[in-house]
Amino acid sequence: MKALLYKDFQYIWKYKMQTLFMPLLFCLVGLFGTLSAFEYYGMMLVASWPLLLMSLDESCKWNAYALTMPLTIRDLLGGKYLISFIGAAGYFLISLFCEVLKTWIHHSAFTLSTVALSIVMLAFTLSLCFINIPIIVRFGVLKARYVCTIITVIGLGSLIGITSFSGSSLMAFSGGNPLASIWIALGALAGCALLFFVSYAISKKISEKTEY
């Protein structure tokens, strides 16, 4: 698994402007305002990691070659889910740090609602990955690219609609109770965890029937 992650991180570093620097830039730009669309755009880029990595694997027929080694379908799929988690968790920590820094710059209060919103963003980023991976496995990168893009755009619009550009509507959605916003965020994480198990089971079943 370490070797698979190393391979994928090499791919990510090769396209570092899209996969690493742009999401970081969006977070930094968000320092000059409230939690805004800039950070949502960065999240969308992180959610595209599986599509990028699986596209590169498909172009060089990596899976067929990898299965001649002591690797299994479970290893190949697990690597994609794990790197999705690493990317989303990394972006979560960076965006949360930027939110703390933003409160210092603007002399504002750092609230539980802000933490809750960052957690919702984490769950949403992972959910996009978990939805897209089975689609890519089933239809291949070329056909799945458009479907995944549509899903991501619709999901992103929905998240922006729920949380708003100001980042304060999650607080309103929770009835003005900061603790309630945390419960909403934890519920989002629980739903994301359930989606992971369903997504992995579907992807594994499809992969086992695929001839490489």
Side-chain angles (χ1 to χ4, degrees), residues 12-40:
I12 289 172
W13 183 249
K14 182 178 180 180
Y15 297 92
K16 52 185 175 291
M17 182 57 68
Q18 173 186 344
T19 58
L20 298 175
F21 294 159
M22 288 302 292
L24 178 59
L25 177 62
F26 282 129
C27 274
L28 294 177
V29 171
L31 288 174
F32 300 99
T34 55
L35 183 59
S36 64
F38 291 112
E39 292 179 63
Y40 295 126

Side-chain angles (χ1 to χ4, degrees), residues 172-200:
F173 188 70
S174 62
N177 188 342
L179 290 178
S181 65
I182 289 292
W183 281 111
I184 292 173
L186 293 178
L189 280 181
C192 180
L194 177 61
L195 181 60
F196 162 73
F197 289 109
V198 174
S199 173
Y200 180 78

